[in-house]
Amino acid sequence: MKHRDLFVTDDGQWQVCQPPREWDLLRTPYRFHRFLTEVEDVLERAIDETDCLPQLWLLVRRLITNSYWIQTQYVDPNPETGNGVIMLYDEIGYPLTVQITTSLPGTVSSVHNHGNWGIIAVLKGEENNTLWKRIHDPRFPNRVEPIADVTLLPGDIISFTPGAIHRVTALGEEPTVTFSLYGETHHSKRFEFDPVTHTAKNF
Ligand SMILES: [Fe+2]
């Protein structure tokens, strides 16, 4: 089955993007340090980083297509939280978050945005993303409602604008493994939403 590149905007709308040409993906070897360098090169030229998402997700697809090392990163999820995380690059002052996350089947995240752009590639297993959007309600400025639902399979990549809101549920029988790349974390712009009380808090 063809892998999909999905793009989600702040209002919860999603679209499937034109897949890259296969010959644009092939690099042998395509090492992780080269990926990091090319990501940095794209962002250094950027006026608005979110506008660079198509270029960045091409690099992510190139990485997951060619890098056996990335494809085989794994940590057992913590049975209490349901998740495990490997920070792949963690230099002090390095603004991006680059990680592998593993999730036990049935693990459900909060309803959250990331406050900056993000690209997530499913390496193994399945995950469901509900996509939410803010609803104008003068009484509850942080009211959100689910408006769409997408299930991602291995090889699928989903990209988010900074305000895009989702909730992720790991599906299937085996832990879900994802590779994620996020722009610089701005805690003041990153929220977890409570869809019952219509409140939000930074995280
Ligand atoms: Fe997320």
Side-chain angles (χ1 to χ4, degrees):
M1 196 173 70
K2 201 78 185 140
H3 301 141
R4 295 181 304 165
D5 291 308
L6 306 184
F7 176 58
V8 183
T9 47
D10 286 11
D11 56 2
Q13 299 293 323
W14 66 280
Q15 61 186 88
V16 177
C17 300
Q18 181 76 19
R21 297 171 301 184
E22 281 180 27
W23 57 87
D24 282 338
L25 291 176
L26 296 176
R27 292 283 188 283
T28 310
Y30 189 58
R31 297 201 198 283
F32 183 56
H33 65 80
R34 189 168 298 283
F35 166 80
L36 292 177
T37 303
E38 292 186 359
V39 166
E40 197 162 57
D41 289 348
V42 167
L43 294 176
E44 272 175 9
R45 289 192 297 266
I47 295 167
D48 179 341
E49 290 192 1
T50 304
D51 290 344
C52 298
L53 275 171
Q55 286 165 276
L56 296 171
W57 87 56
L58 175 65
L59 297 177
V60 171
R61 181 157 294 292
R62 197 177 278 161
L63 182 72
I64 68 167
T65 302
N66 295 287
S67 171
Y68 179 75
W69 183 73
I70 286 292
Q71 290 163 10
T72 53
Q73 291 298 300
Y74 182 81
V75 60
D76 279 322
N78 176 328
E80 277 171 26
T81 63
N83 294 308
V85 175
I86 305 171
M87 298 295 286
L88 292 172
Y89 189 74
D90 199 14
E91 180 180 333
I92 287 178
Y94 182 72
L96 308 182
T97 303
V98 196
Q99 63 189 26
I100 297 281
T101 306
T102 55
S103 304
L104 290 173
T107 306
V108 184
S109 78
S110 62
V111 178
H112 63 278
N113 71 358
H114 286 273
N116 205 338
W117 56 268
I119 303 174
I120 294 101
V122 179
L123 302 179
K124 295 195 178 77
E126 284 177 45
E127 68 171 38
N128 177 266
N129 276 246
T130 48
L131 308 175
W132 299 60
K133 76 169 192 179
R134 287 178 176 276
I135 301 295
H136 178 70
D137 181 342
R139 292 169 308 156
F140 299 109
N142 289 307
R143 185 184 194 114
V144 293
E145 281 182 4
I147 63 157
D149 196 55
V150 288
T151 294
L152 304 179
L153 299 172
D156 288 341
I157 296 178
I158 191 164
S159 305
F160 295 99
T161 54
I165 303 166
H166 71 157
R167 167 144 71 189
V168 183
T169 304
L171 303 176
E173 305 295 321
E174 300 292 321
T176 301
V177 183
T178 56
F179 168 87
S180 340
L181 172 69
Y182 299 109
E184 182 169 7
T185 304
H186 301 298
H187 292 282
S188 63
K189 295 182 187 167
R190 202 173 70 164
F191 295 98
E192 285 182 339
F193 297 87
D194 184 328
V196 176
T197 61
H198 311 308
T199 54
K201 63 176 196 301
N202 291 118
F203 75 106

